[in-house]
Amino acid sequence: MTDFSNGKDKSLAEVLRSQGISRRSFLKFCAATASMMAMSPAMIPKIAQALESARRPSVIWLSFQECTGCTESLTRAHTATIESLIFDSISLDYHHTLQAASGEAAEEAREEAMNENWGKYLLVVDGSIPTKDMGYSTIAGMSNLDMFLQTAAGAAAIISVGTCAAFGGIPHAHPNPTGAYSVYDIIKMYGNTDVDGVSSASIDNNSGGSVKDKPIITVPGCPPIPVVITGVLTHYLTFGTIPELDHLGRPKAFYGQSIHDRCYRRPFYDKGLFAETFDDEGAKKGWCLYKLGCKGPTTYNACATTKWNNGTSFPIESGHPCLGCSEPHFWDGGGFYKALSIPTIDIPTTAVYAAAGAAAAGVALGAMNKSKKSNAAKEHTKTTIDDLEKE
Amino acid sequence: MTNNISTAEVFNIQNADELTWNVMPLMHEVKHALTNLISNNETAIIDLRSIPLAPGEEDKLLDILGIGEVQARLNSLGPSDIIETKYSGVWLITHYNDENNIISRFIEITTMPEILFSQKDDMHEACENLTEALEDNQQAHGASAEKTE
């Protein structure tokens, strides 16, 4: 990462200018940024205007019970040039995996960043937080819970990256041996707890808000799409605010529509054309994977448009159903290859009515799917070989 | 840029025949935007990365739009291709990163994409650099004239 130690107070435009980046390049940067943030191209001039005066925020990244897949995803973001500019434009002061410092020096970097930017830094968390036995996961002798609460106290906002931080993920899946919880649940449960002698009342005085009231942005996915992670960071960098969120705290720009609604195979669903097995004629012709367990209808994410691997494709394009990895409790949601519900209604007829403006049948089908998913979660249906080998 | 260079050559199109359902509605959107540009002088931009396209559909779209009279290349933060399609007023802008991966692609319906205009900040800097170069040149000439005398 480029050293901008002398440029902490510079705006992003000034930082880019000092790197010899022309105004025309800046416009290109803004166009790619708008596309990355899933914003309308009409926003490009506004993004340029906001970035002119944007200041470098300090970012502290904490990794708890996780597999490092989220960081792997982030570091493989495909708009490398643009991402590197963005990362040159934030001050990533602490990240276990990416920082050179280790041991006490690393912890000192975190404390220094907290002290210097109290109330202003962004806290990014990946991984869930264990509560059953604090020894399950510690960093520098400090439990994940203590480190999280201590760092969250001075944060301007918290970004939960990945399904583990957002909803608990694999560690939270039944039987949840470590008592793992998501960032949101931890804040709900421990938001008023004293941390290292700092009570939430004194935190209020320092940061202008209690831990309980910290804005949380959830960026789920196992892992999340790289440009979705950077898109959220860029939104904060650009506008200094958190993006519009849905009821689960996910940015609507990326999680506002279901995979199903944005799927290029959707017309097959509307025509009632489904692959019944992975090697039948329907599968070869690229028909809808609904009956093979696709969770697209109940999953909200940007895979269908943003895609993966340098924008190459996404699972459905490769012939595999969506697993629903950006939804809560997806590990306990039943078999990956079990259909959400087999439509008992005539899909083509439904599509005609929906096209005519009567979408009630679609809504009912969606509700049916959600109810099935929630029942499966309650019963915790284990995935077996039989699930994989669909009859 | 002349018309005899095919879109397939420029964009390495492999599978333009796999037309499904999304290309024609998009072409109609382009047509409406072009009509609006002519009558109301209103520009429009379509971000192709925000539209769910089936494999081959983007290639088909590029094939239909074709290559027009203008093709420009911008070299900054990786290359960018700015091409007027064979439909005047309809531009295709593709931004690449340093590794030549596409990072964004837009269809712009405009008389001239903003990114092609020389920018005020760059012109100010250019003016300073030019003044400096002229001064250096003048000094160098002065020094060589003194030497001759």
Side-chain angles (χ1 to χ4, degrees), chain A residues 17 21-25 27-28 31-32 35 41 78-82 85 262 264 267-268 271 305 307 310 317, chain B residues 21 45 47 49-50 52-55 74 76-80 96-98 103 106 115-117 119 121-122 125:
Chain A
R17 194 99 199 140
I21 290 165
S22 69
R23 177 74 192 178
R24 194 183 265 131
S25 305
L27 288 178
K28 172 176 172 173
S35 182
H78 63 265
T79 54
T81 319
I82 304 297
L85 281 176
R262 303 295 277 167
Y264 75 93
F268 291 116
K271 286 173 197 280
T305 46
K307 302 191 178 178
N310 299 352
E317 201 169 330
Chain B
W21 295 277
I45 307 178
D47 180 357
R49 286 288 167 276
S50 68
L53 294 170
L74 169 69
S76 86
L77 303 179
S80 296
Y96 301 86
N97 63 15
D98 285 334
I103 53 171
F106 301 92
I115 205 157
L116 279 183
F117 285 104
Q119 302 292 316
D121 287 352
D122 296 339
E125 201 173 296

Side-chain angles (χ1 to χ4, degrees), chain B residues 140-149:
Chain B
H141 269 290
S144 95
E146 273 174 26
K147 228 179 191 179
T148 317
E149 281 167 18

Side-chain angles (χ1 to χ4, degrees), chain A residues 70-352:
Chain A
C70 298
T71 298
E72 286 284 341
S73 175
L74 175 70
T75 53
R76 275 148 188 76
H78 63 265
T79 54
T81 319
I82 304 297
E83 252 86 18
S84 65
L85 281 176
I86 288 165
F87 279 98
D88 283 349
S89 308
I90 64 170
S91 179
L92 187 57
D93 291 320
Y94 183 86
H95 189 305
H96 295 172
T97 315
L98 301 179
Q99 71 191 138
S102 60
E104 286 175 6
E107 294 316 303
E108 276 168 21
R110 181 177 65 89
E111 283 161 20
E112 198 183 312
M114 284 170 62
N115 290 335
E116 277 183 18
N117 305 289
W118 188 260
K120 292 178 198 155
Y121 58 82
L122 268 184
L123 172 60
V124 181
V125 178
D126 68 328
S128 60
I129 298 161
T131 58
K132 214 175 248 180
D133 179 339
M134 295 308 162
Y136 275 128
S137 182
T138 63
I139 298 160
M142 188 186 267
S143 75
N144 286 174
L145 182 64
D146 282 350
M147 183 173 280
F148 169 70
L149 291 174
Q150 191 189 64
T151 317
I158 304 167
I159 304 177
S160 308
V161 167
T163 296
C164 294
F167 305 127
I170 295 181
H172 180 77
H174 187 77
N176 190 3
T178 64
Y181 285 97
S182 69
V183 163
Y184 179 80
D185 285 339
I186 291 287
I187 291 273
K188 219 166 50 178
M189 291 188 289
Y190 297 91
N192 289 326
T193 311
D194 288 0
V195 187
D196 277 355
V198 184
S199 71
S200 59
S202 59
I203 288 165
D204 285 354
N205 295 333
N206 287 329
S207 65
S210 77
V211 179
K212 257 193 160 165
D213 299 328
K214 296 289 175 195
I216 303 172
I217 308 166
T218 52
V219 185
C222 194
I225 302 170
V227 293
V228 171
I229 306 174
T230 46
V232 171
L233 286 172
T234 310
H235 189 285
Y236 186 82
L237 172 72
T238 311
F239 300 110
T241 58
I242 60 171
E244 197 187 349
L245 307 174
D246 72 1
H247 68 292
L248 293 173
R250 301 176 295 195
K252 280 187 178 173
F254 301 108
Y255 299 91
Q257 286 172 306
S258 72
I259 296 287
H260 184 62
D261 285 341
R262 303 295 277 167
C263 182
Y264 75 93
R265 294 195 190 207
R266 174 66 192 256
F268 291 116
Y269 175 90
D270 292 341
K271 286 173 197 280
L273 298 171
F274 299 98
E276 302 282 344
T277 66
F278 282 103
D279 56 357
D280 68 2
E281 236 1 74
K284 285 173 192 162
K285 285 180 176 163
W287 289 355
C288 179
L289 301 170
Y290 186 88
K291 290 187 178 178
L292 289 173
C294 186
K295 306 294 183 287
T298 53
T299 303
Y300 289 77
N301 207 338
C303 305
T305 46
T306 305
K307 302 191 178 178
W308 289 83
N309 301 322
N310 299 352
T312 305
S313 64
F314 70 115
I316 292 170
E317 201 169 330
S318 307
H320 194 280
C322 165
L323 301 180
C325 75
S326 57
E327 291 298 312
H329 316 301
F330 89 99
W331 292 102
D332 290 331
F336 287 156
Y337 301 97
K338 252 186 195 170
L340 286 165
S341 57
I342 298 296
T344 51
I345 46 177
D346 179 23
I347 296 289
T349 312
T350 310
V352 169

